[in-house]
Amino acid sequence: MQAISIDVTCPDPATAHEIADALLGQNLAACCRIGAPIESRFHWNGAIERAVEVPLAIKTRAELFDRVADVVRELHPYEMPAILGTPLRADAATLRWIADACIASP
């Protein structure tokens, strides 16, 4: 089983909580970490933009990436939220925990 961390920035804590609760409730995530607000600067529609955002990190199985991304897009207010997955290297106990917690079938 390959584990990944999926990073998403949200416009506010309420959105991050809603997405995290939905993913945990559907057994699509083992853990969701909601961070303190950050300042983001990015290119969008031909301009450089700034926004205060809330980072959300989601630990899950790699094969659930597309289902997690679907839930994020469904609940996220941005026209195009950036959904970035990174493979995780973890000890056997952590990988077992992620596998057991993410029982949604692919």
Side-chain angles (χ1 to χ4, degrees), residues 37-106:
I38 58 171
E39 181 179 331
S40 297
R41 294 173 185 232
F42 50 93
H43 288 276
W44 187 248
N45 291 328
I48 296 176
E49 301 286 340
R50 295 180 193 185
V52 173
E53 298 180 301
V54 175
L56 172 61
I58 304 152
K59 291 182 184 81
T60 188
R61 292 193 220 163
E63 67 264 20
L64 295 175
F65 179 87
D66 290 333
R67 291 184 58 194
V68 169
D70 288 344
V71 171
V72 170
R73 279 191 293 276
E74 177 184 319
L75 298 174
H76 205 293
Y78 288 176
E79 180 181 336
M80 192 203 79
I83 304 167
L84 307 170
T86 306
L88 292 177
R89 184 172 176 191
D91 67 315
T94 300
L95 290 174
R96 196 168 33 258
W97 166 67
I98 292 171
D100 291 347
C102 301
I103 59 171
S105 40

Side-chain angles (χ1 to χ4, degrees), residues 21-29 67 71 74-75 103-104:
D21 291 346
L23 293 170
L24 292 165
Q26 295 176 48
N27 297 313
L28 291 171
R67 291 184 58 194
V71 171
E74 177 184 319
L75 298 174
I103 59 171

